[in-house]
Amino acid sequence: MAEPLLTLDAVTAGYGATRVLEDLSLSLGDRESVAVIGRNGVGKTTLLATVMGHTTLHGGAIRFAGQDISRLPIHRRAVAGIGYVPQEREIFPSLTVRENLEIGARAGGGRGSGGGAEDWTDARIFQLFPQLEARLGNDGNQLSGGEQQMLAIARALMANPRILLMDEPTEGLAPVIVEDLVRILAALRDEAGVAVVLVEQNSAIALNFAERTVVLDRGRAVYDGPSKALQDDPEKLESLVAVTG
């Protein structure tokens, strides 16, 4: 059996002395996608931030592509092939779309460094995000919310990641923009060869996106299994998401 692309082994992590994740274990295969759902404040964002190196690791280990990255600096995780699209998007508002994309490529250490299936060339990026090609000379703060989200994803892809961590990408977007974004996520899942961890508050979107779903509660995984089982049993889904103990 092939080694998982990403493994969290009994991870306890948080912010300073505050622990948010408790003894959390999960793994993700190469090119696999998983949705992560749960109530607000249960550790979904902290999970992604911990993989990326933004939190304090109190226990356990994180392995990526066969390497222990538990103590690896953030920039070296990006170079290793981990892409991160934070909830706040964090694009550079005073830089143009083109400049934001160039910074994304440099953050990954140059094209091809992440070990993805293929390099994300400008042409490939614009095929996925034609709106961005039309706005190349516009500053980040001149973009709509949907365009900013697309830029955040495109910037992460420019580093040629093997895995993309996405935190609430549909939050605050109009339904028509959400439909477009879901189409893009499906293309990443089905055609681009990029593994995806999708944290998503909209459980319908999350369950439709990934065959496998992890439900978090109080920093622990209370479900890790087929998404279809939750789609077919709304009462089970509601009980898991409503877990409080």
Side-chain angles (χ1 to χ4, degrees), residues 43-54:
K44 303 186 300 295
T45 291
T46 302
L47 167 61
L48 301 189
T50 297
V51 174
M52 203 64 212
H54 290 290

Side-chain angles (χ1 to χ4, degrees), residues 4-231:
L5 178 63
L6 174 69
T7 301
L8 278 71
D9 185 7
V11 166
T12 297
Y15 305 94
T18 302
R19 301 186 178 200
V20 179
L21 302 180
E22 292 283 354
D23 195 31
L24 179 63
S25 295
L26 63 86
S27 62
L28 186 75
D30 194 23
R31 299 178 181 237
E32 184 183 4
S33 293
V34 63
V36 181
I37 63 175
R39 296 174 298 112
N40 289 331
V42 298
K44 303 186 300 295
T45 291
T46 302
L47 167 61
L48 301 189
T50 297
V51 174
M52 203 64 212
H54 290 290
T55 65
T56 303
L57 185 65
H58 292 285
I62 305 170
R63 292 187 295 277
F64 178 71
Q67 177 185 9
D68 188 333
I69 63 169
S70 305
R71 306 297 173 185
L72 209 61
I74 295 169
H75 72 278
R76 289 189 60 189
R77 299 186 195 208
V79 171
I82 302 176
Y84 183 41
V85 183
Q87 188 173 6
E88 299 81 10
R89 299 167 188 156
E90 296 182 3
I91 65 169
F92 297 98
S94 61
L95 298 183
T96 66
V97 169
R98 184 185 296 279
E99 290 167 336
N100 270 276
L101 294 176
E102 289 172 350
I103 286 175
R106 290 201 296 271
R111 298 295 176 82
S113 61
E118 299 178 48
D119 282 354
W120 282 91
T121 62
D122 291 346
R124 193 177 181 206
I125 286 289
F126 298 143
Q127 184 178 18
L128 195 62
F129 303 99
Q131 300 95 320
L132 296 182
E133 185 174 19
R135 305 296 296 274
L136 272 177
N138 290 94
D139 289 344
N141 59 12
Q142 296 175 317
L143 304 181
S144 68
E147 289 168 340
Q148 289 182 359
Q149 184 63 73
M150 292 176 190
L151 177 56
I153 298 170
R155 183 181 61 183
L157 290 173
M158 289 295 283
N160 194 37
R162 293 183 65 181
I163 189 170
L164 196 59
L165 313 176
M166 304 191 65
D167 194 0
E168 304 279 8
T170 69
E171 184 181 35
L173 301 182
V176 65
I177 303 300
V178 170
E179 289 181 12
D180 201 23
L181 188 59
V182 168
R183 176 188 57 78
I184 290 169
L185 296 182
L188 287 174
R189 177 196 63 203
D190 298 336
E191 303 167 16
V194 180
V196 178
V197 180
L198 175 67
V199 165
E200 178 55 58
Q201 195 64 30
N202 186 319
S203 59
I205 290 175
L207 296 174
N208 281 326
F209 172 75
E211 292 185 358
R212 174 182 163 211
T213 292
V214 173
V215 182
L216 293 186
D217 184 70
R218 296 194 177 186
R220 300 176 183 270
V222 294
Y223 178 86
D224 184 347
S227 301
K228 191 175 188 303
L230 300 182
Q231 289 174 309

Side-chain angles (χ1 to χ4, degrees), residues 215 222 233-244:
V215 182
V222 294
D233 192 345
E235 290 185 1
K236 180 177 182 178
L237 172 61
E238 184 177 357
S239 68
L240 286 169
V241 173
V243 168
T244 58

